[in-house]
């Protein structure tokens, strides 16, 4: 796999940039993207900036795509002893239980995704690969017709 170029970056800035990237498509659908107040404005992590930015851009773009019109996407920060935990929650179509186990597989696309949007199903496969290259992990909770939360855990120093 490609080498990571690890540098100190402000994770909050990377997420802000990802939101800005999709602000127009969000606005067109009447979807607000809100970073919760508890999210630190300075969050220094060691990461490969373009790759981690693609992770968040991917997840935010998906959240917009699968959100109900007029709903809000919420981005939360949490942490434990060793990790930062970022959660991106949409209030959208959700992922059916029988499809959840396949979600991170290469080229996998849910039935709803096939109906609703273009794409090759590489997004989440890529996201998981990059998060794991950074010694992190990603998991999600989803309820059909309620929405989906993706959690990304990235190591502190």
């Amino acid at each position: 796999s490609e080498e990571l170029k690890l540098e100190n970056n402000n994770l909050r800035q990377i997420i802000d940039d990802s939101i800005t990237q999709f602000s127009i498509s969000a606005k067109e659908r009447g979807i607000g993207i809100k970073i919760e107040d508890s999210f630190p404005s300075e969050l220094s992590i060691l990461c490969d900036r373009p790759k981690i930015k693609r992770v968040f851009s991917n997840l935010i773009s998906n959240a917009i795509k699968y959100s109900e019109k007029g709903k809000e996407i919420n981005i939360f920060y949490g942490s434990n002893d060793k990790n930062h935990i970022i959660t991106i929650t949409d209030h959208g179509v959700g992922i059916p239980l029988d499809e959840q186990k396949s979600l991170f597989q290469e080229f996998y696309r849910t039935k709803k995704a096939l109906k609703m949007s273009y794409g090759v199903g590489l997004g989440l496969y890529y996201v998981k690969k990059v998060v794991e290259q950074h010694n992190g992990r990603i998991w999600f909770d989803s309820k059909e017709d309620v929405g989906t939360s993706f959690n990304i855990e990235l190591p502190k120093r």
Side-chain angles (χ1 to χ4, degrees):
S1 67
E2 297 169 54
E3 286 296 296
L4 295 179
K5 291 192 184 67
L6 294 177
E7 290 171 330
N8 274 313
N9 285 286
N10 180 0
L11 186 60
R12 170 65 188 260
Q13 186 62 58
I14 293 174
I15 293 171
D16 284 339
D17 290 350
S18 302
I19 291 171
T20 304
Q21 192 184 339
F22 294 104
S23 58
I24 291 170
S25 55
K27 210 170 257 151
E28 281 170 354
R29 304 197 47 187
I31 291 163
I33 304 176
K34 182 172 188 287
I35 295 194
E36 297 305 316
D37 297 342
S38 59
F39 207 119
S41 56
E42 289 293 325
L43 197 60
S44 178
I45 70 160
L46 205 57
C47 71
D48 185 315
R49 186 187 169 101
K51 288 188 173 167
I52 286 292
K53 179 160 187 296
R54 262 185 75 186
V55 163
F56 285 101
S57 295
N58 230 301
L59 292 171
I60 288 166
S61 138
N62 279 352
I64 293 167
K65 230 185 282 182
Y66 300 118
S67 276
E68 300 287 325
K69 267 194 164 55
K71 297 274 190 190
E72 193 168 67
I73 293 164
N74 305 91
I75 301 178
F76 301 92
Y77 174 77
S79 67
N80 55 32
D81 289 349
K82 293 196 169 70
N83 302 290
H84 303 291
I85 303 161
I86 291 88
T87 303
I88 298 173
T89 299
D90 69 55
H91 306 278
V93 294
I95 302 152
L97 207 53
D98 63 342
E99 302 192 8
Q100 291 185 8
K101 65 182 181 311
S102 311
L103 204 62
F104 290 111
Q105 287 170 13
E106 197 167 6
F107 304 122
Y108 183 75
R109 304 188 63 219
T110 66
K111 294 183 189 78
K112 278 204 175 110
L114 290 167
K115 280 199 208 96
M116 286 173 68
S117 72
Y118 305 104
V120 291
L122 277 174
L124 289 173
Y125 172 79
Y126 175 85
V127 162
K128 182 174 196 277
K129 201 175 84 171
V130 171
V131 169
E132 288 174 354
Q133 280 181 324
H134 284 80
N135 299 314
R137 64 186 191 107
I138 179 168
W139 70 100
F140 66 91
D141 310 287
S142 187
K143 286 197 180 67
E144 217 172 340
D145 301 321
V146 176
T148 304
S149 287
F150 277 91
N151 306 288
I152 294 130
E153 194 174 68
L154 291 167
K156 294 175 176 176
R157 297 275 150 247

